[in-house]
Amino acid sequence: MLKFVARRLLLLVPILFGLSVLLFVWLRALPGGPAQALLGERATADSVARIEALYGLNEPWYVQYWKFVSSAIQLDFGNSARTNRPVTEEMARTFPATFELAIAALIFAVGIGIPLGYYAAKKYGTWLDNVSVSGSLLGVAVPVFFLAYILKYVFSVQLGWFPTQGRQDPRIDADHPTGLYVLDGLITGNLEASWDAIMHLVLPAIALGAIPLAIIVRITRASVLDVVHEDYVRTAEAKGLWERTITRRHVLRNALLPVVTVIGLQAGLLFSGAILTETVFAFDGVGRFIAEAISNRDYAVLQGFILVIAAMYVVVNLLVDVSYGLIDPRVRVR
């Protein structure tokens, strides 16, 4: 297993190098350029030239790229042109919000999707199977922002069961040592703050997790249907093994490989930010902050956030590969 993980870690080096090159080229190909983004409406030819000389933007591309990589390794992405704060501070402020929301959406999608997909396959052709298939199609078809507005209107505005926006009631006096509000409440012993943070997470997590839930249900159902008809499953049933043993050792263990792939891909997308969901529920996370950076041409923020998000996505896929080896030993033997 250690050799398997080591090989996957070595593959990260060329992948991250390629990502850094693509990001470097893309940002410098955008209209306006970093200097004009910093100056805004005050930009003149002389002021742009001074800014380019100050930040080394007039140097050869390979010198700029080397400085870019060196700074990225040190997690020094400069300051935001919009807030004038270090990009790393903005990351520390926004990433915990998105991470907490993504975890809640994954818990919702995986916790319901895998059992529902499994029982839909076991009850193939029944009302449960038909409802799960129809529901998964509906979940994929409904736009995230539309579902978010419906949930907000019904359960927050009309029924008043959940808060309408934000991460926590501002009237609650709570400390946030980690930026993860639910965890912070548990750490500091402020259960009221933790529960309030959970209530603020419910509707955004459902809206964000609806599409991953639908995908996981369909993939789980299809994978289980393929596995239950395999010879080794019928042999185990003929031997008289308990159904629980057959399910755990033979069905789920083999059916989960494609499901883990889907979960890994969806997790990477969720961790990269949810612009629509965070906008509807005024959730101050990564997606909303990047959207504002794009509209303001904040190149320092785009450069730092995109590179870190891409690295996180690669790491998530590394964890998926490792989970393959844990589920199926044949994978790590190759």
Side-chain angles (χ1 to χ4, degrees):
M1 176 60 78
L2 290 177
K3 290 182 179 180
F4 177 79
V5 175
R7 287 197 302 268
R8 292 298 185 270
L9 288 174
L10 288 176
L11 288 175
L12 291 180
V13 177
I15 292 174
L16 292 177
F17 171 74
L19 288 173
S20 67
V21 171
L22 290 175
L23 179 61
F24 178 83
V25 173
W26 174 68
L27 286 177
R28 277 146 186 81
L30 291 176
Q36 189 166 350
L38 288 171
L39 294 170
E41 297 179 354
R42 301 168 297 173
T44 62
D46 293 337
S47 61
V48 168
R50 286 196 300 271
I51 290 296
E52 288 180 345
L54 178 63
Y55 291 99
L57 298 174
N58 56 352
E59 295 179 344
W61 64 268
Y62 52 86
V63 176
Q64 293 185 50
Y65 177 73
W66 173 251
K67 290 182 177 180
F68 164 65
V69 173
S70 302
S71 300
I73 292 174
Q74 302 173 38
L75 296 181
D76 180 13
F77 302 105
N79 290 355
S80 168
R82 185 169 60 89
T83 64
N84 200 31
R85 296 177 58 190
V87 175
T88 50
E89 290 186 8
E90 299 292 0
M91 289 180 181
R93 181 180 64 85
T94 56
F95 266 105
T98 296
F99 185 79
E100 191 171 52
L101 177 58
I103 290 295
L106 275 179
I107 292 174
F108 167 73
V110 175
I112 298 178
I114 292 180
L116 183 58
Y118 171 77
Y119 284 110
K122 294 292 285 185
K123 304 293 183 181
Y124 178 74
T126 64
W127 67 269
L128 178 62
D129 183 33
N130 295 329
V131 168
S132 65
V133 172
S134 302
S136 63
L137 289 174
L138 184 64
V140 173
V142 175
V144 173
F145 73 91
F146 180 74
L147 177 61
Y149 276 119
I150 292 296
L151 291 173
K152 185 176 181 179
Y153 178 76
V154 174
F155 294 101
S156 295
V157 177
Q158 293 295 321
L159 298 177
W161 290 356
F162 299 98
T164 56
Q165 62 182 13
R167 297 184 63 195
Q168 198 169 61
D169 191 333
R171 294 171 295 180
I172 294 179
D173 184 17
D175 296 325
H176 303 122
T178 67
L180 304 171
Y181 285 12
V182 176
L183 180 62
D184 290 339
L186 297 175
I187 292 174
T188 59
N190 192 341
L191 298 182
E192 179 187 3
S194 185
W195 176 252
D196 185 73
I198 292 174
M199 296 297 288
H200 279 80
L201 275 174
V202 171
L203 295 184
I206 293 175
L208 186 59
I211 292 179
L213 169 63
I215 295 173
I216 291 172
V217 168
R218 293 185 67 84
I219 295 297
T220 304
R221 174 182 176 273
S223 184
V224 171
L225 283 175
D226 287 339
V227 171
V228 293
H229 297 297
E230 293 290 343
D231 291 338
Y232 54 82
V233 175
R234 289 198 294 266
T235 301
E237 292 173 347
K239 289 181 177 179
L241 295 179
W242 288 355
E243 184 177 356
R244 183 183 302 177
T245 302
I246 297 174
T247 300
R248 186 180 67 253
R249 292 185 180 178
H250 300 287
V251 176
L252 283 180
R253 189 163 187 173
N254 291 281
L256 279 180
L257 283 176
V259 178
V260 168
T261 302
V262 171
I263 293 174
L265 294 174
Q266 293 299 317
L269 294 175
L270 294 177
F271 289 144
S272 65
I275 296 176
L276 297 176
T277 305
E278 291 176 358
T279 301
V280 172
F281 292 98
F283 221 80
D284 195 10
V286 171
R288 189 180 178 193
F289 192 74
I290 290 180
E292 294 173 354
I294 292 173
S295 62
N296 289 280
R297 292 192 297 181
D298 196 339
Y299 287 89
V301 169
L302 292 175
Q303 185 172 265
F305 271 71
I306 293 175
L307 186 61
V308 171
I309 288 171
M312 290 175 57
Y313 194 88
V314 171
V315 171
V316 168
N317 280 273
L318 169 65
L319 295 177
V320 171
D321 289 341
V322 173
S323 66
Y324 281 167
L326 296 175
I327 295 173
D328 190 349
R330 295 172 298 178
V331 176
R332 61 175 182 263
V333 170
R334 296 173 183 173

